[in-house]
Amino acid sequence: VNDKLAVRVAALGSFQDGFYTDSTTGRPLNNNFTYAAKGQILFEPSDAVSLRLIGDYSKSQGNCCYATSEYINGPTQPLINALTLANGRKLPSTKLGDFEQTLSTDGNQQIEDYGGTLLVDIGIGDDTLKSVTALRQFNVAQVDMDADFSGADVLILDETFDSRFFSQELSFNGRISSLNTDYVLGAFFSDERINITRVLDWGTQAQTYWNVLLSAQGVPPGTVRAAAGEVANERMRGTSKSYAGFAHFNADLGSGFSLLGGLRYSVEEKTGSFAYNYYDPAPNAVFRVLGVSPGPDYDAKRTDKAFSGTVGAQYRPNDDVMLYATYNRGFKAGGVNMDA
């Protein structure tokens, strides 16, 4: 725009046909349509100050990602095939190279991802103060998904995943001329919040599926309940906060020798919870009889703290060769489960 202000804009759009074909309808499975845009503004009011603001947005949707091939038939495959035909669907080819499958629901996946970043550099003499501020939102919604991956109408799934992430980093890049040493001092903070929902519905053939399957184990038909409709509505929550302070230096000792070192102290706080908004209250609900679910509601948390860092030495006998040795100790925080 001028010698102090610059703008950059980019966009894309793409469409991909799915590489699977529904043997019943002929429609492609696993297709995807995506569009995205990104804009940047760079402002440099002086030689000592630089600000860059970045924003982006993307969205994609398609009947992704639930097509599978029958690579090895399991013991229930004849039952699934019979239910598929009874459901008015056509059995897919058993040749893997045909990439065929048939699903009992339309299924749709939508992903939305957007955020912004602000980068600030401020020169203070020969030193630099840097700031990185970032905010991101990531959402996934899967609606009317065929959770049994077949033409039989057994299990239907709706799921959502939402993540909001914020981070802030400050660092000071300086130099101690008397010691011929460059150094970095900094602090970091991040905060992520996750919300997940899952709704499970039995399809119109679920009761038949379980009656036939369990009768082979000597269970009389009708003993368990798998009537069409909602069986479970689940809610999961999670948070993760990170705090860290760090320092790093690189000292030039002369004659090609230099020393480097860094130290970081990290604190990680995480929470996770699971609860049912609804679960089939029938005492003979099939998963309850089998001891699979409902799982317990819970609310857990965990905190990890640790030092990590590095130390090393370098030697350059000439401009073309560098010899070095370093020792590093890392840190990986633990986690909290969020799923039944």
Side-chain angles (χ1 to χ4, degrees), residues 106-336:
D106 290 334
N108 181 269
Q109 175 176 276
Q110 182 171 288
I111 300 176
E112 194 175 36
D113 185 10
Y114 57 92
T117 303
L118 177 63
L119 308 173
V120 180
D121 286 12
I122 301 175
I124 304 174
D126 294 330
D127 304 330
T128 305
L129 177 65
K130 295 177 177 286
S131 171
V132 181
T133 308
L135 182 65
R136 179 145 300 274
Q137 181 77 34
F138 180 75
N139 307 314
V140 180
Q142 295 180 324
V143 180
D144 196 29
M145 306 303 288
D146 187 345
D148 55 85
F149 320 117
S150 75
D153 186 17
V154 178
L155 186 60
I156 304 164
L157 171 71
D158 290 347
E159 265 186 327
T160 66
F161 176 93
D162 300 307
S163 168
R164 184 200 61 78
F165 183 84
F166 169 80
S167 68
Q168 173 65 55
E169 181 175 279
L170 292 172
S171 63
F172 184 79
N173 296 50
R175 179 171 178 80
I176 305 175
S177 299
S178 59
L179 299 178
N180 210 18
T181 298
D182 297 308
Y183 66 90
V184 178
L185 301 175
F188 176 81
F189 169 76
S190 71
D191 182 6
E192 182 177 22
R193 299 178 183 274
I194 296 174
N195 294 307
I196 304 171
T197 66
R198 180 190 295 128
V199 178
L200 294 170
D201 287 272
W202 288 128
T204 58
Q205 295 180 310
Q207 188 69 64
T208 301
Y209 173 84
W210 286 108
N211 285 345
V212 174
L213 187 67
L214 294 178
S215 66
Q217 310 298 321
V219 179
T223 300
V224 299
R225 168 184 160 84
E230 187 173 307
V231 60
N233 185 318
E234 304 169 349
R235 182 183 75 251
M236 289 145 275
R237 300 286 185 269
T239 65
S240 177
K241 290 186 178 181
S242 298
Y243 309 84
F246 56 90
H248 190 90
F249 75 88
N250 191 337
D252 188 351
L253 305 180
S255 301
F257 288 95
S258 62
L259 295 176
L260 61 89
L263 186 66
R264 181 184 184 99
Y265 181 68
S266 303
V267 179
E268 300 278 347
E269 299 175 348
K270 297 183 180 181
T271 68
S273 66
F274 175 87
Y276 286 100
N277 294 323
Y278 171 83
Y279 193 88
D280 187 348
N284 65 333
V286 60
F287 283 162
R288 179 177 279 116
V289 173
L290 295 176
V292 175
S293 63
D297 292 0
Y298 64 85
D299 192 344
K301 61 182 179 180
R302 176 190 179 107
T303 299
D304 291 288
K305 304 176 182 179
F307 281 101
S308 57
T310 183
V311 62
Q314 298 176 349
Y315 172 58
R316 286 184 175 273
N318 56 59
D319 291 340
D320 299 319
V321 177
M322 182 179 75
L323 306 175
Y324 65 93
T326 60
Y327 173 80
N328 303 282
R329 182 173 179 83
F331 165 63
K332 176 69 173 177
V336 177

